[in-house]
Amino acid sequence: MASAGLYRRVLPSPPAIDFASPEGKKIFVEALGQGTMEGFFKLVSYYQTQSEPAYCGLATLTVVLNALSIDPGRKWKGPWRWFDDSMLDCCEPLEKIKVQGITFGKVACLARCNGAHVEAFRSNESTVSDFRDRVISCCSSEDRHLIVSYHRSGLKQTGEGHFSPIGGYHAERDMVLILDVTRYKYPPHWVPLTLLWDAMNTIDRATGLQRGYMIISKLKRAPSILYTVSCRHEGWSSVAKFLTENVPLLLKSEDLKDIQEVLSVVFKSPPSELREFITWIAEVRRQEDGNLTLSEEEKGRLAIKADILEQIRTTTLFKHVTSWLDSQRSRCRTIAKLQDRDMLPELAAGVCCQGACLLTGCCLPGGKCCSQIDVKHLNVDHKNIVTLVSGTVASGSSSEQGVDVLVPLCQMGPEGHCIGMHPSTADVLTVLLLALPLHTWSGIKEEKLCAEVTSLLTTENLPPLLQEEVLFLREQLHFLMTDIGAPPH
């Protein structure tokens, strides 16, 4: 039986002007002459239609990340590394995004954890004049692109909240080019900048916060990140609020005498999901013809991760965290919420399952995606070893797909066994403490102790790679906290 369907919408004009119309072409030529279409050519080279009705945020980000030539560090299909919206699931499960879409803060967080530099502005944190200046700056450049989050009704269009990149600006008409990623619905179109500003200056019902815009550019260093804030599980917001709101109040209410007591306040009664709030990122790839060799790019990214891990373990804070964990175990105290699940076989099973979900879409309950899990150690050079976790996952009713997961370089003991260079509970908790804003510790009553804690946690005292890692996590935490209405710091 035939069913009715929709083929596009009529673009409301005014206020919009179809990019492909005679008037739209005239505006384009004039803007090109003004030098405010420089970003257009990179964007249009990678312009795509969102693959799901609620994927506007993912599709927009995919266009921009590819336009910036950011290497995702993982393969898309065959040998190719390429951003596709199905790969952007580190901040929210794709199945949830299909139903609910994605929020402003999580798009910013998603851009950051995929190797981009992000400047995010909600409409209440900016002005229309600031917005215009930033539009002009981005449209006059090939290496900075602007994403807008707005309500369609402000442009007399059907639908609600929407994301799209800005492709150009015309000064005399004060109009911007929206490269609408719902190309099955509306074509690219010019709209008055002030009208778009009004459409951004609206409340997102999902968060109760204003929409806005963000500027996305490429990081100056290789996008090899070891840790990320995990906001995919349902309890992440309670963990975030505990760390940024409850912990400062607890520290103010206690008479603390040393670092170990400070750690006890933070970690003795946390939400159950605390251990998973900061997670580490492994490289995932499809197995190809039994090839166990590593490319130079893979070796380089793994080397950066290993350097970060070593830098964590040389900090004084790491020694304090390790000592506190040991004391809890030796006193037979229950630390189930922070328990060390760091045996490589268990980690391998969990990470292999995540890799299977990423590459094949197979996500079975209970973490049973992968079978035939194997752990190998490959020589990278004369002194470094990489851990390769391999598994097999059913990718259909009868086919199977091999998955490789590359774990950060490990040091080998005298008997040829890995002695634990993959991230452990102590590493993760150390990074978690470093990622909290410094004002967290300002309420410690004992001045000398407060100064000692501040000295341990200030980023200025960290090696450069670890400093960048911590600032990245702080930025992620900031974006996510603004998404749930917490005051930014």
Side-chain angles (χ1 to χ4, degrees):
M1 180 178 177
S3 60
L6 294 174
Y7 180 71
R8 309 190 73 175
R9 294 280 192 187
V10 175
L11 180 69
S13 181
I17 299 174
D18 189 330
F19 177 67
S21 68
E23 187 70 9
K25 293 176 184 178
K26 182 174 183 292
I27 297 172
F28 170 77
V29 171
E30 292 173 355
L32 189 63
Q34 296 165 358
T36 49
M37 294 297 299
E38 294 303 305
F40 169 81
F41 297 98
K42 286 287 182 69
L43 289 170
V44 82
S45 298
Y46 305 100
Y47 186 28
Q48 68 179 55
T49 304
Q50 61 192 71
S51 61
E52 294 285 342
Y55 273 16
C56 58
L58 302 188
T60 297
L61 192 53
T62 298
V63 172
V64 171
L65 293 174
N66 286 326
L68 290 169
S69 299
I70 293 176
D71 187 339
R74 59 192 187 276
K75 292 177 182 177
W76 165 59
K77 293 181 182 179
W80 303 106
R81 296 198 301 271
W82 180 258
F83 279 108
D84 178 76
D85 52 17
S86 64
M87 297 163 61
L88 300 179
D89 68 342
C90 60
C91 290
E92 197 86 281
L94 293 179
E95 288 303 316
K96 184 175 180 181
I97 299 175
K98 283 182 183 180
V99 177
Q100 301 178 6
I102 191 167
T103 61
F104 182 84
K106 286 201 172 181
V107 169
C109 185
L110 195 56
R112 191 66 178 88
C113 65
N114 279 282
H117 176 67
V118 184
E119 301 171 81
F121 307 91
R122 294 187 187 274
S123 59
N124 59 320
E125 300 168 335
S126 181
T127 66
V128 66
S129 178
D130 293 334
F131 176 56
R132 181 180 293 104
D133 290 343
R134 288 167 178 143
V135 165
I136 294 170
S137 174
C138 289
C139 292
S140 303
S141 168
E142 291 187 341
D143 54 14
R144 301 170 77 234
H145 299 296
L146 194 141
I147 289 173
V148 289
S149 169
Y150 59 100
H151 199 287
R152 282 193 180 276
S153 64
L155 306 180
K156 298 183 180 179
Q157 299 172 5
T158 64
E160 297 185 1
H162 190 55
F163 289 91
S164 278
I166 294 298
Y169 174 74
H170 189 288
E172 281 74 18
R173 299 189 186 219
D174 197 25
M175 297 187 85
V176 294
L177 175 63
I178 297 178
L179 296 177
D180 198 322
V181 291
T182 56
R183 293 192 292 182
Y184 54 82
K185 184 177 182 180
Y186 293 119
H189 48 275
W190 295 94
V191 297
L193 181 142
T194 53
L195 200 63
L196 177 59
W197 171 260
D198 291 340
M200 289 193 299
N201 193 22
T202 52
I203 300 296
D204 179 0
R205 289 185 300 172
T207 62
L209 302 170
Q210 257 108 342
R211 296 180 172 85
Y213 62 97
M214 59 189 80
I215 298 169
I216 311 292
S217 56
K218 193 172 184 178
L219 285 175
K220 293 181 180 179
R221 71 172 177 92
S224 185
I225 297 164
L226 181 57
Y227 295 101
T228 186
V229 173
S230 175
C231 52
R232 297 179 87 255
H233 58 79
E234 291 297 325
W236 74 266
S237 58
S238 63
V239 176
K241 285 190 174 183
F242 170 79
L243 292 170
T244 58
E245 296 177 11
N246 295 5
V247 166
L249 294 176
L250 290 170
L251 292 171
K252 286 180 182 179
S253 66
E254 300 278 348
D255 293 316
L256 306 173
K257 298 178 177 59
D258 56 34
I259 300 293
Q260 295 297 300
E261 289 187 2
V262 172
L263 296 179
S264 290
V265 167
V266 177
F267 294 132
K268 276 181 69 174
S269 301
S272 59
E273 297 88 355
L274 179 65
R275 178 61 179 81
E276 284 74 38
F277 188 64
I278 300 284
T279 59
W280 57 279
I281 301 172
E283 299 245 353
V284 180
R285 65 181 189 179
R286 299 176 190 274
Q287 289 177 3
E288 295 174 1
D289 302 323
N291 183 10
L292 299 181
T293 61
L294 302 179
S295 68
E296 290 304 312
E297 292 87 353
E298 288 170 330
K299 291 177 184 178
R301 291 193 297 270
L302 287 166
I304 291 174
K305 294 181 187 221
D307 287 344
I308 294 169
L309 195 49
E310 288 185 3
Q311 289 175 7
I312 292 167
R313 295 183 178 186
T314 61
T315 64
T316 305
L317 179 61
F318 174 78
K319 295 177 176 62
H320 282 296
V321 171
T322 301
S323 175
W324 182 82
L325 287 170
D326 289 342
S327 72
Q328 300 304 297
R329 294 188 186 97
S330 65
R331 296 171 189 173
C332 299
R333 294 184 179 177
T334 301
I335 53 171
K337 292 177 182 177
L338 303 173
Q339 64 185 351
D340 215 327
R341 299 185 289 277
D342 302 323
M343 296 301 291
L344 196 53
E346 285 78 7
L347 282 172
V351 175
C352 183
C353 186
Q354 294 172 29
C357 291
L358 178 66
L359 294 178
T360 70
C362 169
C363 299
L364 300 180
K368 303 296 184 182
C369 294
C370 288
S371 61
Q372 304 174 29
I373 293 171
D374 189 21
V375 179
K376 299 182 179 71
H377 301 303
L378 305 179
N379 287 312
V380 174
D381 52 41
H382 67 282
K383 67 175 183 177
N384 290 322
I385 303 292
V386 62
T387 302
L388 178 69
V389 178
S390 300
T392 303
V393 59
S395 56
S397 57
S398 58
S399 61
E400 291 186 336
Q401 171 68 58
V403 176
D404 285 339
V405 180
L406 306 177
V407 179
L409 303 179
C410 67
Q411 295 175 333
M412 303 302 289
E415 298 179 0
H417 299 298
C418 182
I419 56 176
M421 274 296 288
H422 53 277
S424 66
T425 294
D427 305 316
V428 172
L429 295 184
T430 300
V431 170
L432 173 59
L433 292 169
L434 289 168
L436 295 178
L438 277 180
H439 71 83
T440 302
W441 318 100
S442 61
I444 296 175
K445 297 175 184 177
E446 217 287 312
E447 290 184 8
K448 185 176 179 181
L449 178 60
C450 184
E452 182 182 2
V453 171
T454 301
S455 177
L456 286 173
L457 294 164
T458 184
T459 57
E460 285 75 9
N461 297 333
L462 299 177
L465 277 177
L466 180 55
Q467 184 180 99
E468 289 185 16
E469 193 84 4
V470 169
L471 293 175
F472 159 70
L473 290 170
R474 285 188 183 176
E475 194 171 60
Q476 274 191 302
L477 189 57
H478 168 79
F479 290 145
L480 294 171
M481 290 306 294
T482 58
D483 233 19
I484 58 177
H489 298 290

